[in-house]
Amino acid sequence: IQPRTPRSVALMTPKKRYGALLKAIGAPWLHFATTAADQVQIDITRDELLPMLNWMNFLSGPLIALAANSSVYGGRAGQFVSGREGLLGTIGQHRNGMTPRRFASLEEFIAFICGHPCYVLKDGDAFRPYQRPFTHYLAKHGPDFQTYLWHEHYTWNSARARTEHSTIEIRPACQQPQSESLAASALSLGFVEAAPAIAEYVERVLGVDPWPTMLRYRKAVIHDGLRAQEPVKKFLSSLVQEAENGLRRRGRGEETFLGPIWARLEERRAPADRARALFVKKGMPALIEACRWNNTD
């Protein structure tokens, strides 16, 4: 995240569609101008799409707890350890972050996306305000897959389909420190590889309807990170162990990139905690120097 500079139009990439979205959404749109994510695209099949959308949205809270790194923003220590998720959560109900429920079918999931207001419509090289649920557009114009993709692109759930790549995009991790740059991606991939084992574990410890519990936990970790009370004892360590097992089964040595994740669990300190402590103790210049990617210390 940009720790020093508050959000502003000056930081926004000067594209026509971004200007149109700013007019439609207002100031919360500018949070995108100050955040840096550690997103990963994971190749999936058609049959995997729905379960992966469900599970990777469900697991967004644990991922944030272990990968938060945006606790200083707007020139101060903020209220969120994940300023990225906390600030972007102001953009539309359920439009960012964890979906509000598990979806039983792709049709149900697509209906959920279509229920969001479509901010603007693309008309050639121009963009015109719409500000009505996308279902209104469909009722008037009928099925329109390309316009649906345009609308869906401006929803930002923690896991979303990327049709052009045949992937899911896992979004909620913050950019990681230079020496730990693959930690969040490895954890995300491990969660995907271990999804069946994680599903069995979650049902065993949280019951058949764990979604409300995880929504509450996700909200807590955005504020408190690894200090937030886990849903059950050793919940995070159990998930990380399953992720490690999943990566090990791939046989590519990727489990070694989880070393920083285990260290964070042991210390109960994510990068966001280190950043905030450094800022409070030594100020912004020290934080900027510590986060520079060409710093070899």
Side-chain angles (χ1 to χ4, degrees), residues 191 193-204 239 242 245 249:
F191 282 161
E193 290 292 324
I198 289 174
E200 181 181 338
Y201 167 73
V202 166
E203 183 170 343
R204 186 169 71 250
L239 292 179
E242 293 294 356
N245 294 344
R249 285 192 293 270

Side-chain angles (χ1 to χ4, degrees), residues 58 100-102 202-203 206-214 216:
F58 180 85
R101 64 187 182 276
R102 176 186 177 274
V202 166
E203 183 170 343
L206 297 183
V208 296
D209 184 21
W211 219 271
T213 297
M214 289 299 281
R216 291 191 295 270

Side-chain angles (χ1 to χ4, degrees), residues 97-132:
M98 182 178 169
T99 52
R101 64 187 182 276
R102 176 186 177 274
F103 297 102
S105 67
L106 278 175
E107 289 81 3
E108 183 185 349
F109 171 74
I110 291 171
F112 165 74
I113 297 295
C114 291
H116 292 314
C118 180
Y119 291 126
V120 297
L121 288 173
K122 188 177 182 182
D123 186 6
D125 292 331
F127 304 93
R128 57 184 176 88
Y130 193 68
Q131 294 288 38
R132 282 169 283 176

Side-chain angles (χ1 to χ4, degrees), residues 130 133-143:
Y130 193 68
F134 191 67
T135 50
H136 288 211
Y137 177 90
L138 295 175
K140 183 175 181 179
H141 299 279

Side-chain angles (χ1 to χ4, degrees), residues 5 29-30 45 88 97 106-107 143 159 211 221 225 227 243 249 272 293:
T5 309
W29 171 252
L30 294 175
T45 65
L88 294 180
L106 278 175
E107 289 81 3
W211 219 271
V221 300
R227 296 188 304 277
R249 285 192 293 270
W293 272 64

Side-chain angles (χ1 to χ4, degrees), residues 1 20 42 49 82 133 137 186 190 213 218-219 256 282:
I1 202 166
I42 296 182
L49 177 56
S82 177
Y137 177 90
T213 297
R218 188 184 194 280
K219 184 177 181 180
T256 60
K282 296 187 178 181

